[in-house]
Amino acid sequence: MSIFEIEKAVCELENKIKELREFSRLQNIDLSNEIEILEKKLKELQKEAFENIRAWDKVQLARKIERPTSLDYIERIFDNFIELHGDRLYGDDPAIIGGIALLKGKPVTVIGQQKGKNTQENIKRNFGMPHPEGYRKALRLMKQAEKFKRPIICFVDTPGAFCGIGSEERGQGEAIAKNLFEMSTLKVPIISIVIAEGGSGGALALAVSDRVWMLEHSIYSILSPEGFASILWKDASKAKEAAELMKLTAQDLLNFGVIDKIIEEPLGGAHKDVDRVSKSIKQNLIDEIDNLSKLDIDILLQNRYNKFRKMGKFIE
Amino acid sequence: MINLFKKRQYVTLSQIEKKNENYFKPFIPDGIFEKCDECGKIILKEDIEKNLMRCPNCNKYFRMTAKQRIELIIDKGTFVEYDSNLKTINPLDYPDYDIKIQNLVKDTGINEAVITGEGKINGESCVIAVMDSYFLMGSMGCVVGEKITRAFEKATEKRLPVVVFTASGGARMQEGILSLMQMAKTSAAVKRHSDSGLLYISVLTDPTTGGVTASFAMLGDIILAEPKALIGFAGPRVIEQTIKQKLPQGFQRAEFLLEHGFIDLIVERENLKKTLYNILLMHRG
């Protein structure tokens, strides 16, 4: 059974429980035993689904339209968020948002790729696929953070950097490269969290950080499974097989040492309880920024260099 | 007799004749001629090689192997190779990847898609890295990333300038997320080299795309390119599929990048060594 079939069954069960409750209240009959049995079954079903979750299920979960976006987390985690716009060179890219905010009373710079909640909003946000001006805005805000000694928090959620005529004309490759280059020595702590989809260089451009975390059901990969299948097998419809092969789940990446931590999601996914996930991210951020801020800047930068330096597998 | 020259409506060919058609063809051993895919002319391979791997008829630039490139740029007898012992493994257990690499190593005579080392350009020392598009389209996996990173680290340590010839389809899919991380790793090494006040010249050759464009290729203090080289982030096919329209002529060619301000100079192949030397000379110190 795929996760969506199970989710359908879960939904049906939830409705049945609701009906029984209503029935028992109206008719004044005690059905608490029956309800308890159903609730137990529900829990088991959900648990089973998420224990056997396949990579492809995660891809779909990460792309779910109900999946919380950067702004959902920002408004729950930070206070007084002020959005800042524009790269001062060309324009303002709605696919990347950024600004300043307070985290438990301390100023931080927050940046994130932003997807829409519906088609109309997604068109405005370009489905979370940034243009070069988005990456340049992000870099401008990071440099500003460095000047004012504010830690930087990045939310990663993009299928990839946009592939189009304008993005090539304005130097998509150069924009991403410059972010990797500059982020490697920014003199403030940087924490990146992959909240849903971390696609390719477009995701990495916000993730050369001291700590990279992933939500339990998010993905992070060299390319979308569709792109991977289309490049290697000339057949985008083999995305499902590609997803299983690519090792793109949070658990895989933790094993590879590419990420540092997995943040748990409630059963069913982050959209089932955004408040709880936000609370968990917030606590992790407060603790880790505290830790990182204690480090001498030279040590922080040396650690950041070493972190990426040791990534890669080969024989010598 | 006259009937013989009369135009007939049908020509019949017997099966036997068809089978033996090779018999009538002149015998041409493989690898002597090459067809130029720009002008369509059949040219002696030797003439292409004499013309620095360019078509003698239309001046189309053919891709050079890393070894040919080093021969062209580095003074004879001065090249010392780094890290030729690194070996690629198969981190994703991608089917048949090991065999593919083994065969490429055998066919190309290099251990991976880049050769790195140290040498002299008209007497000026530098660290050089040359990518080879004949090795799995010059894609960057763990070994390529490691070799590039080590080359920059060595140059930083020895206080030498770096020259990189890029030729790559981008990050190597078969090594998954680890290939992506090579972009961060190499860019960080370039930053350290740069922060030490040292010169980095990147020379973009056909093709330079994807994760290589989006990392060290675009980070040169001075960025040169060969005429008409394809340079971009996304490949043209991917863009056409995304935006569902045909791309304009000359899109993503070196001349297009020059016009849009992303490269410093386009240099003809015969002038490359001299140009590199001149730039190195002005940064000696």
Side-chain angles (χ1 to χ4, degrees):
Chain A
M1 249 204 302
S2 89
I3 193 162
F4 293 100
E5 286 162 336
I6 293 180
E7 205 161 85
K8 201 174 149 205
V10 165
C11 216
E12 276 166 13
L13 217 58
E14 275 174 344
N15 283 339
K16 197 167 259 172
I17 293 169
K18 220 198 245 162
E19 267 171 36
L20 274 181
R21 280 228 171 86
E22 194 66 13
F23 183 77
S24 100
R25 193 177 60 85
L26 288 177
Q27 307 291 325
N28 226 342
I29 308 168
D30 183 23
L31 291 171
S32 57
N33 249 343
E34 286 77 0
I35 291 173
E36 204 176 298
I37 291 167
L38 281 180
E39 276 179 337
K40 214 170 139 197
K41 198 172 165 205
L42 180 74
K43 274 252 156 65
E44 272 167 17
L45 203 58
Q46 280 180 316
K47 228 175 133 192
E48 185 203 343
F50 280 83
E51 265 166 11
N52 303 317
I53 186 166
R54 317 262 310 167
W56 181 244
D57 293 327
K58 294 222 180 203
V59 172
Q60 288 178 292
L61 206 53
R63 289 173 178 171
K64 233 175 150 55
I65 193 86
E66 297 89 356
R67 185 97 180 154
T69 64
S70 295
L71 278 172
D72 293 317
Y73 293 116
I74 290 172
E75 69 186 32
R76 285 171 176 81
I77 294 170
F78 306 97
D79 300 312
N80 303 357
F81 175 65
I82 301 171
E83 189 177 349
L84 304 172
H85 292 272
D87 68 346
R88 302 293 187 271
L89 297 161
Y90 177 81
D92 184 49
D93 186 352
I96 290 192
I97 49 157
I100 44 178
L102 296 175
L103 175 67
K104 209 186 163 196
K106 286 191 184 146
V108 291
T109 287
V110 185
I111 298 164
Q113 281 127 347
Q114 183 63 36
K115 286 186 188 169
K117 291 266 173 209
N118 51 49
T119 309
Q120 201 185 359
E121 212 187 315
N122 255 326
I123 288 167
K124 177 186 155 200
R125 301 281 185 195
N126 200 29
F127 296 84
M129 293 184 283
H131 279 76
E133 49 272 23
Y135 293 111
R136 294 189 179 119
K137 168 166 73 175
L139 185 58
R140 179 177 79 82
L141 296 179
M142 289 194 242
K143 286 284 193 185
Q144 188 187 70
E146 185 180 43
K147 174 176 175 183
F148 296 105
K149 299 190 169 56
R150 290 192 287 262
I152 299 165
I153 294 136
C154 296
F155 293 96
V156 177
D157 184 11
T158 181
F162 188 62
C163 302
I165 291 182
S167 56
E168 293 292 326
E169 283 174 340
R170 301 195 289 279
Q172 189 72 284
E174 193 272 348
I176 293 171
K178 206 35 89 52
N179 277 24
L180 310 180
F181 181 79
E182 294 291 347
M183 284 180 86
S184 71
T185 58
L186 274 179
K187 294 188 187 69
V188 286
I190 316 172
I191 298 178
S192 296
I193 309 157
V194 183
I195 54 171
E197 218 182 345
S200 180
L204 183 65
L206 293 187
V208 183
S209 316
D210 300 301
R211 297 287 181 269
V212 182
W213 300 338
M214 282 177 79
L215 292 192
E216 192 183 344
H217 302 310
S218 58
I219 57 168
Y220 188 10
S221 58
I222 182 165
L223 197 60
S224 68
E226 288 81 2
F228 186 93
S230 133
I231 285 186
L232 288 173
W233 307 322
K234 309 268 175 272
D235 185 359
S237 67
K238 286 190 179 157
K240 202 171 162 179
E241 283 119 289
E244 302 300 331
L245 185 66
M246 287 170 79
K247 303 211 166 70
L248 43 62
T249 69
Q251 295 69 24
D252 290 328
L253 299 201
L254 190 69
N255 289 340
F256 272 141
V258 169
I259 62 161
D260 306 286
K261 185 185 275 188
I262 296 173
I263 294 174
E264 266 185 44
E265 292 183 31
L267 266 181
H271 58 288
K272 297 274 183 194
D273 194 346
V274 197
D275 290 329
R276 206 174 102 194
V277 180
S278 304
K279 222 170 150 188
S280 167
I281 295 177
K282 183 173 183 174
Q283 195 51 51
N284 275 296
L285 282 175
I286 291 169
D287 294 346
E288 202 57 41
I289 285 176
D290 203 38
N291 284 338
L292 294 171
S293 302
K294 281 182 198 143
L295 292 176
D296 189 71
I297 284 298
D298 292 336
I299 293 172
L300 182 81
L301 294 186
Q302 185 63 47
N303 291 349
R304 192 183 302 158
Y305 188 83
N306 292 345
K307 176 185 168 67
F308 290 92
R309 181 69 189 83
K310 63 173 198 277
M311 286 183 195
K313 287 190 171 181
F314 53 87
I315 319 173
E316 189 155 11
Chain B
M1 205 49 200
I2 286 166
N3 272 347
L4 241 171
F5 298 100
K6 207 176 164 188
K7 203 171 171 186
R8 268 180 278 184
Q9 212 160 1
Y10 302 105
V11 177
T12 47
L13 279 175
S14 78
Q15 286 294 321
I16 298 157
E17 252 180 289
K18 240 187 183 169
K19 267 186 195 155
N20 287 341
E21 68 183 346
N22 279 341
Y23 179 82
F24 298 101
K25 275 194 174 169
F27 172 71
I28 308 170
D30 278 347
I32 284 202
F33 287 95
E34 187 106 27
K35 187 180 175 188
C36 173
D37 47 16
E38 190 85 9
C39 66
K41 258 209 150 161
I42 310 282
I43 312 145
L44 260 178
K45 231 181 176 172
E46 204 184 312
D47 290 343
I48 300 175
E49 276 160 25
K50 265 192 252 161
N51 196 30
L52 306 176
M53 298 305 290
R54 286 173 305 185
C55 173
N57 184 49
C58 72
N59 204 35
K60 181 205 155 66
Y61 277 57
F62 290 100
R63 294 167 182 174
M64 292 179 101
T65 66
K67 283 180 176 170
Q68 285 172 328
R69 185 70 74 174
I70 288 168
E71 217 166 283
L72 176 74
I73 299 296
I74 297 294
D75 300 347
K76 218 175 172 177
T78 65
F79 185 69
V80 182
E81 191 177 348
Y82 297 160
D83 304 309
S84 59
N85 57 328
L86 300 195
K87 281 199 180 68
T88 294
I89 58 169
N90 188 358
L92 297 190
D93 293 321
Y94 187 89
D96 299 333
Y97 180 53
D98 314 70
I99 299 162
K100 196 165 196 170
I101 294 291
Q102 270 171 28
N103 288 339
L104 279 164
V105 170
K106 224 188 293 164
D107 293 347
T108 58
I110 51 179
N111 70 329
E112 251 294 351
V114 68
I115 296 183
T116 57
E118 209 177 307
K120 291 189 166 143
I121 297 176
N122 292 341
E124 289 298 307
S125 295
C126 66
V127 166
I128 185 166
V130 183
M131 303 186 86
D132 195 319
S133 61
Y134 294 94
F135 197 108
L136 217 55
M137 202 28 88
S139 55
M140 173 162 66
C142 295
V143 169
V144 170
E146 182 71 20
K147 284 178 88 172
I148 298 269
T149 304
R150 286 189 190 184
F152 274 94
E153 286 177 338
K154 196 73 110 346
T156 309
E157 192 186 301
K158 291 188 155 185
R159 299 206 57 79
L160 286 173
V162 178
V163 176
V164 176
F165 281 84
T166 60
S168 176
R172 186 171 298 167
M173 294 300 139
Q174 292 90 337
E175 292 181 36
I177 192 81
L178 292 177
S179 296
L180 189 72
M181 293 302 134
Q182 304 310 309
M183 293 166 63
K185 179 163 119 183
T186 52
S187 300
V190 176
K191 182 71 160 71
R192 284 197 159 184
H193 182 257
S194 176
D195 285 350
S196 306
L198 298 165
L199 172 69
Y200 165 32
I201 308 169
S202 59
V203 188
L204 316 183
T205 73
D206 189 64
T208 296
T209 58
V212 167
T213 300
S215 61
F216 57 89
M218 281 293 167
L219 295 174
D221 296 295
I222 293 173
I223 305 179
L224 309 179
E226 285 200 321
K228 294 205 179 126
L230 178 80
I231 304 159
F233 174 64
R237 202 159 38 102
V238 176
I239 300 174
E240 281 184 343
Q241 276 167 12
T242 309
I243 61 173
K244 312 254 184 306
Q245 63 187 86
K246 268 259 171 262
L247 294 171
Q249 188 84 30
F251 184 69
Q252 293 184 312
R253 296 289 160 183
E255 295 71 16
F256 172 94
L257 271 94
L258 185 74
E259 195 185 311
H260 285 88
F262 286 98
I263 58 176
D264 288 286
L265 193 64
I266 296 173
V267 185
E268 297 278 349
R269 210 166 258 174
E270 69 263 32
N271 298 328
L272 261 177
K273 183 166 180 172
K274 198 174 66 194
T275 308
L276 286 171
Y277 169 69
N278 275 328
I279 298 171
L280 289 174
L281 210 58
M282 285 185 227
H283 292 82
R284 191 158 64 173

